[in-house]
Amino acid sequence: MQDTVGDDEKVNDGNDGKKDDVKEDNENVEDEQKVENDENVDDDEKMDEAKVENDEKVDDDEKMDEAKVENDEKVDDDEKMDEAKVEDGEMMEDERKENDAKVEDVKMEDEAKVEDGEKLDGVAKVDDVEVDLKLKVKDEKSVDVKTQTNEEIMGGDDNDDNDDFQLYKTPPKGNYGRRVRKPKKDDSYTNPFLSKMPKTKDPMKVNHLQKFEDELLDKVKAWLDDPQTDNLTTDEIDAFCHLLRKRISYYPKTYKNSHVAIEDCLLADRIRREHRTFIKDPANYPVAEFKDYYMASPHRYMPEWSTIDDVYMPVNINQKHWILCVARLQKYRIDVYDCDAYLYKNLDPYLKPFCDMIPYIFAKTITPDERVRYPKFNFEGPIQPMTYKRLPHPKVKTAADKVGEVPRATESGDCGVFTLMYMEHLTANQPVHNVTSKNMGFFRQKMAVRLFHQIMEP
């Protein structure tokens, strides 16, 4: 029995040992598989890291290529800018040479004229040379401005040699900073360039007998000598009226007491033409026909009627005679300045349209707040015609030359000039006693000079 048991135990012990060996083998196999799996995972992570490094290298290469392209473009732009600067420099050098050649030609021509014995006025010589030099300096300034703008656009360097460009190697003699004016000949000298100055002297003393330069008269002498220009036309009258309106606008302090509206010849013609329609039904007459007159017209220097006291109108009678009609709105009267009262002793047929329509047009276009300034007007009741007063009176037989008197013409053919001179004196609040026939020659010349040269100063 003991032997059997021992054998069984041996057998069991053998089986148990085998089982233990099998388990150990299985565990070893599992451990090896785990190790291999871990190694595979490590290999995969290394491969991913390598891929990331390769991607980063590719991105760096692309950035380097883009930077190279930008650098190449900048180099091309710099080369183009350098080429443009070189071309500008060459053009400026050519202009310098041309200017130098012109200056030398002018000098040679002046020397040749002196050698030939030509006598030139010293003052005119200096003025011509100075004008030429001023023109050259002005051209030089324009060239400098163009050069600066090109450099600013192209980003030029401040140390560029072109910045030191000069027209002359040595500066020319003379004062070129201010305009050189001719000396005054006498106390009554009129500066022809005063109207072109940037600043005007306002207020200034008005002297209608001021003289003017003879050289200004030379340019209009042919017009004055023409017999056809003895009688002024509507165009010449309107041109002087426009110049006078412009003068009042440019010298507000000199004409601060002149609240006037100077109209053209068309207003008188329109009033006489519309009067036939007006008298048929005055209450329903459309005053809008005269809107371009009673309303302000800044481009023609015409103020609004509600802001003025007097309306000046040049009137032509039968294409033969000129008179000046001044509608005094404050006095409710029309003053008629007629240098030749004997020509038309009765002016009623010619002045009735103005006496009827002027107060009606004014009353219909003024606001209730503005009526206070005109106490003579009856805005509530029927509008009565204005009266008129002739100056000088037809009974005056002599040409008065006294302050406060209106002279009468002693010669025919100057009625147009008389009309304009009346207007010029009255708008400046000056007496008209100097408007006489003996001064008509001077006034005619002065008017022609002012119109031709557009001289506005009083």
Side-chain angles (χ1 to χ4, degrees), residues 151-418:
E151 290 180 355
E152 290 176 358
I153 294 173
M154 299 173 64
D157 189 3
D158 293 336
N159 297 325
D160 193 359
D161 294 337
N162 292 332
D163 294 340
D164 298 330
F165 173 75
Q166 293 182 355
L167 179 62
Y168 302 98
K169 295 182 180 179
T170 58
K173 296 181 180 180
N175 184 8
Y176 300 98
R178 298 179 61 187
R179 184 190 307 167
V180 179
R181 296 185 176 88
K182 297 181 181 181
K184 295 182 178 180
K185 295 182 180 179
D186 53 20
D187 296 337
S188 60
Y189 172 80
T190 299
N191 188 349
F193 300 104
L194 184 61
S195 60
K196 299 179 181 180
M197 296 177 63
K199 293 183 179 180
T200 57
K201 184 181 178 181
D202 187 31
M204 63 185 302
K205 185 178 180 181
V206 179
N207 182 10
H208 296 290
L209 295 177
Q210 273 186 330
K211 297 180 181 179
F212 49 85
E213 286 187 334
D214 294 336
E215 61 183 20
L216 299 177
L217 183 61
D218 293 339
K219 296 182 179 181
V220 295
K221 189 175 182 181
W223 179 80
L224 290 171
D225 294 339
D226 189 357
Q228 296 181 357
T229 62
D230 291 342
N231 297 324
L232 298 183
T233 62
T234 56
D235 293 337
E236 295 161 351
I237 297 289
D238 287 341
F240 190 86
C241 291
H242 177 79
L243 185 65
L244 188 56
R245 290 195 299 266
K246 191 174 181 181
R247 181 195 303 175
I248 295 174
S249 176
Y250 276 58
Y251 293 86
K253 295 181 181 179
T254 304
Y255 293 89
K256 64 180 180 179
N257 295 324
S258 298
H259 306 288
V260 301
I262 301 175
E263 309 299 346
D264 53 19
C265 300
L266 182 61
L267 176 60
D269 295 338
R270 188 179 298 182
I271 288 177
R272 287 183 290 193
R273 185 178 65 250
E274 293 291 330
H275 185 255
R276 295 179 181 179
T277 306
F278 172 78
I279 59 178
K280 293 179 182 179
D281 189 6
N284 297 323
Y285 179 79
V287 295
E289 293 288 337
F290 300 90
K291 184 178 180 180
D292 51 343
Y293 287 99
Y294 63 77
M295 295 294 291
S297 181
H299 68 283
R300 293 193 297 170
Y301 305 99
M302 289 184 177
E304 188 176 354
W305 281 15
S306 60
T307 62
I308 62 173
D309 297 331
D310 304 321
V311 180
Y312 285 75
M313 297 172 290
V315 179
N316 186 270
I317 300 176
N318 294 332
Q319 302 297 322
K320 294 180 180 180
H321 186 56
W322 285 100
I323 61 174
L324 175 63
C325 293
V326 183
R328 308 287 186 185
L329 301 178
Q330 294 281 355
K331 300 178 180 180
Y332 207 79
R333 185 186 71 207
I334 297 179
D335 290 343
V336 181
Y337 292 84
D338 185 2
C339 66
D340 193 355
Y342 288 107
L343 188 59
Y344 293 94
K345 294 183 179 181
N346 184 15
L347 293 179
D348 292 347
Y350 307 101
L351 297 181
K352 181 174 175 55
F354 302 95
C355 295
D356 290 344
M357 296 191 67
I358 291 294
Y360 181 84
I361 295 172
F362 181 74
K364 293 298 182 180
T365 58
I366 195 172
T367 61
D369 295 336
E370 296 168 341
R371 295 177 180 178
V372 181
R373 295 184 65 246
Y374 308 97
K376 297 289 184 178
F377 271 82
N378 184 12
F379 295 100
E380 301 298 333
I383 300 175
Q384 299 298 325
M386 282 184 171
T387 59
Y388 72 90
K389 178 181 179 181
R390 297 186 71 175
L391 299 168
H393 195 273
K395 294 182 179 181
V396 176
K397 297 181 179 180
T398 59
D401 193 5
K402 298 180 181 179
V403 177
E405 298 291 337
V406 179
R408 182 178 60 84
T410 58
E411 298 178 2
S412 61
D414 294 328
C415 57
V417 183
F418 265 96

Side-chain angles (χ1 to χ4, degrees), residues 117-132:
E118 294 180 357
K119 296 181 180 180
L120 301 175
D121 188 4
V123 177
K125 249 184 168 177
V126 173
D127 290 342
D128 293 340
V129 173
E130 289 177 353
V131 169
D132 292 338

